[in-house]
Amino acid sequence: MKLNWMRRQQLVGYMFIAPNMIGVTAFIILPALFSIFLAFTNWEFPQLKADFVGMGNFSRLVQDEVFYHSLKNTLIFLGSVPISVGLGFLAALVLNKSVYFKKTLRTMFFLPYITTGVAIAFVWMLIFQPVNGPVNTLLMSLGISNPPGWLSSTSSAIFVFDIIWIWFLLGYNIIIYLAALQEISSEQLEASKMDGARLFHTVRYVIWPLVSPTTLFLLMTGFIVSIKQMGIFQAVTNGGPGDSTTVLSLYIYKTAFRYYDMGYASAISVALLVIIILITAIQWIAQKKWVHYS
Amino acid sequence: MKKKSVGFVVILMLVAALSACSGNNNNQGTNGQAGSSAGSSDKVVNLTFWGGVPAEAGPQEIVDTWNKQNPNIQVTYVRYVNDDSGNLKLDTALVSGQNVDIFANYTKPLLSKRVSSGAALDLSQFSDYNIDDKMGAGAKEWLVNDKYYALPTKKNMHFVWLNKDALDEAGLPVPTDWTLADVEKYAKALQTDSRWGYATFPFWRDVVSFDGSLAVQGSVKEDGTSNFDAPIVGEALQQQYDMMHTSKVSPPISLIETTKMNLIAEFLGNKVAMLNAGEWVFRDANNLTDYPRDFKAAFAPLPRMTEAQDDFRYLGGLGDAIAINAKSEYTKEAWEFLKWYADGGMLPQAKGGRIPASKDADQSKAIELLLGDLKDKYDLESLERVLSNELPTFQVSLPQEVLDIRTEEFDKYYIKAQSLEETLQNVVRRHNEYLKRN
């Protein structure tokens, strides 16, 4: 059979993307669909059979106190994303001006992002160690007799992860913002200066709107990366003390690979997927109010 | 609602694909005569043995010895780490038909799961080895559905490690039967500015104190609800709490967790006077290069809660339950190896504290290997006593999820985040929810 030119071109195109598409389909799309299917079964690894339980896993989910507790912890943890984006913007503004050691500082901020998570985790554990750690030693030398227990207390442990995560994301946020700041044409800045705008006004009414697409990008990707984060929780506290740092991703991991309850773990994953879609959709809709595309 | 059974076509397809891949590794030539005539055949059978002990801590020596004596049955040892991801690796290998012929199980709940998925061979088909007779009464704790699917091979021994020099200094005798109150008394006398009196591993802390009694009373009441509010539980929690926060002779849980305190190193470095642990400490205690030690270690049985506690059971029994993959082509050969292993083949692991359970294994040789040339570093009299005791034992058999629920709630009590009453209420409520689902 002879193909016409158009068809041949299309076929060549598909062949070019085929290696990638086959990989993505086999290792990402099919497993993802399969896990949605599993959410409606009671499959327990390592058995090879399971029953359809319909919405059973989901009705268990809405009554599961650990799920709500983990969801709360996940949301508290997500609070670190906007803070880190905000700090990243401010730091990028400073680094964009002529400051000493600009390159060194940029490298230093970016280092956490390319360091192994577990190594980071252990350093932070030492820093927040309640008795001999530098943070509490400093607080005590400042006259605070009863400093927080940080990772050893159920009320403060999750916030330690916020601090770690703000610091971790910061370097990436700064680099992306720096690129965005370079894009702003000097004419716009000069025009605002001529109009008599002071530094604060320039930042608030000229620079901030101009980098708003970058802000949206950083928020969206930041939320998605953070909501899936599991490694540092596992390495530092494994969800403890008690269950005070059990986030959804860790709960899924434990349910699936510690209790082998694959059906229920898949149901929680589906819930997590819905949450990610919701958060992203809200941002997407809200962007019309504050994101400016030039 | 009527449940519909599904065949899991997709899983089966995946499994089939995976096993087809691994099938190439098998010796195709022996397929036809597998099992039946291996003894007389010249074909070499290759077995793979998955275990959690590092190869250099004994298993390599074991399989080397066997391979030399049995040129027709060659065993390869594969180490899997006995944690969540390691067990997952083993289970995936079993399900997907990779080469696993023999595998070690370290907890009964995991063995039960493997039995229910059809991965473990029913050992009752072999009539030439009486497990009950060889291993003693403790073997029964490994029965799944009243059958042996795995052969427990090692003695589990939990006892308290004591710093004998510190005891002598304080003029205290090595205890032979004691209660938690005695422990606290000892701990107070042994505590110094640089040394804790007494420590327990967070995981074993609750198991050793009251699970023995619950094994007798049942962790579930007759009406099917949780028995974690039995009086003994509250009593045990209270006492452990007091040792952390009132008499302050034990390092509090928050300190252990946030500093990832290595209790074995602390004990061997004379920073903890008494350590509630077991035979697994020997591996480090015999290693004077990494853990230099200038004192003698003595041994005491686990403390009972109170004098009056008549249902106390010692955590112990048997461990290292070794199973044969039901899908293995060479189950007979695997069984030959397993019998040899249990009856003394496993001895090289004794230097790390793994004492064979079989009555036909050479016990004095095991002790010899265990102590090596460090006899003067141990109080042999008390060691003899804890190793040869005939005290009633029990085994941890609660599912992982229930153990985790307990740890979460108990930890909140130990770090003062909730009261004892709240703790017991929460544990019972969550355990009941678990029971309802399962």
Side-chain angles (χ1 to χ4, degrees), chain A residues 190-234:
Chain A
E190 270 169 30
S192 73
K193 207 181 261 175
M194 284 209 200
D195 288 345
R198 280 175 298 162
L199 179 65
F200 172 77
H201 290 115
T202 314
V203 171
R204 172 67 187 83
Y205 296 109
V206 180
I207 298 179
W208 179 249
L210 283 171
V211 298
S212 57
T214 306
T215 310
L216 177 71
F217 166 75
L218 288 176
L219 283 175
M220 273 192 171
T221 52
F223 279 129
I224 292 172
V225 170
S226 313
I227 213 169
K228 294 195 303 189
Q229 179 59 33
M230 196 272 297
I232 57 166
F233 292 96
Q234 199 190 21

Side-chain angles (χ1 to χ4, degrees), chain A residues 51-52 65 258-260, chain B residues 5-6 84 91 400 404 429:
Chain A
D51 294 322
F52 268 123
E65 57 175 301
R258 194 171 164 84
Y259 311 142
Y260 286 172
Chain B
S5 232
V6 287
D84 290 348
D91 283 317
Q400 189 63 50
D404 283 0
R429 191 189 66 244

Side-chain angles (χ1 to χ4, degrees), chain B residues 183-252:
Chain B
V183 172
E184 194 167 10
K185 227 181 287 162
Y186 268 66
K188 277 183 192 156
L190 299 173
Q191 176 117 331
T192 66
D193 287 342
S194 64
R195 187 173 66 199
W196 293 100
Y198 172 72
T200 321
F201 287 90
F203 175 75
W204 295 113
R205 182 186 52 223
D206 307 307
V207 173
V208 293
S209 56
F210 59 77
D211 267 351
S213 290
L214 285 190
V216 177
Q217 301 171 16
S219 58
V220 179
K221 288 181 193 148
E222 272 177 20
D223 60 0
T225 59
S226 172
N227 195 23
F228 285 149
D229 54 359
I232 189 87
V233 179
E235 236 170 276
L237 287 172
Q238 179 76 53
Q239 289 213 29
Q240 317 253 26
Y241 180 95
D242 286 346
M243 279 201 261
M244 287 179 211
H245 300 297
T246 314
S247 61
K248 298 194 160 103
V249 292
S250 280

Side-chain angles (χ1 to χ4, degrees), chain A residues 34 43 45-48 50-52 60 65-66 125 129-130 152 154 235-236 241-243 257-260, chain B residues 4-6 8 11 84 87-88 91 95 113 116-117 254 258-260 400-401 404 408 412 417 429 437:
Chain A
F34 187 51
W43 183 37
F45 190 73
Q47 315 229 32
L48 285 183
D51 294 322
F52 268 123
R60 174 178 160 195
E65 57 175 301
V66 185
M125 270 180 75
Q129 210 275 305
S152 68
T154 47
V236 177
D243 49 6
F257 301 123
R258 194 171 164 84
Y259 311 142
Y260 286 172
Chain B
K4 237 181 168 179
S5 232
V6 287
F8 263 63
I11 298 184
D84 290 348
N87 279 301
L88 183 68
D91 283 317
V95 170
K113 282 187 174 157
S116 69
S117 75
S254 54
T258 55
T259 55
K260 305 250 168 190
Q400 189 63 50
E401 201 172 342
D404 283 0
E408 281 176 16
K412 281 193 238 169
R429 191 189 66 244
R437 301 198 293 274

Side-chain angles (χ1 to χ4, degrees), chain A residues 10-79:
Chain A
Q10 278 177 350
L11 192 66
V12 170
Y14 283 124
M15 278 166 71
F16 270 115
I17 63 165
N20 195 9
M21 282 316 290
I22 291 170
V24 169
T25 311
F27 296 111
I28 296 177
I29 297 176
L30 283 181
L33 292 176
F34 187 51
S35 79
I36 294 175
F37 164 70
L38 284 181
F40 298 95
T41 70
N42 63 356
W43 183 37
E44 284 199 25
F45 190 73
Q47 315 229 32
L48 285 183
K49 57 175 180 21
D51 294 322
F52 268 123
V53 291
M55 297 303 285
N57 285 327
F58 293 96
S59 61
R60 174 178 160 195
L61 189 72
V62 294
Q63 293 168 15
D64 184 356
E65 57 175 301
V66 185
F67 170 73
Y68 290 112
H69 185 79
S70 317
L71 180 61
K72 191 185 99 196
N73 284 335
T74 298
L75 293 177
I76 295 176
F77 179 61
L78 287 184

Side-chain angles (χ1 to χ4, degrees), chain A residues 237-248:
Chain A
T237 58
N238 200 14
D243 49 6
S244 60
T245 56
T246 303
V247 289
L248 275 181

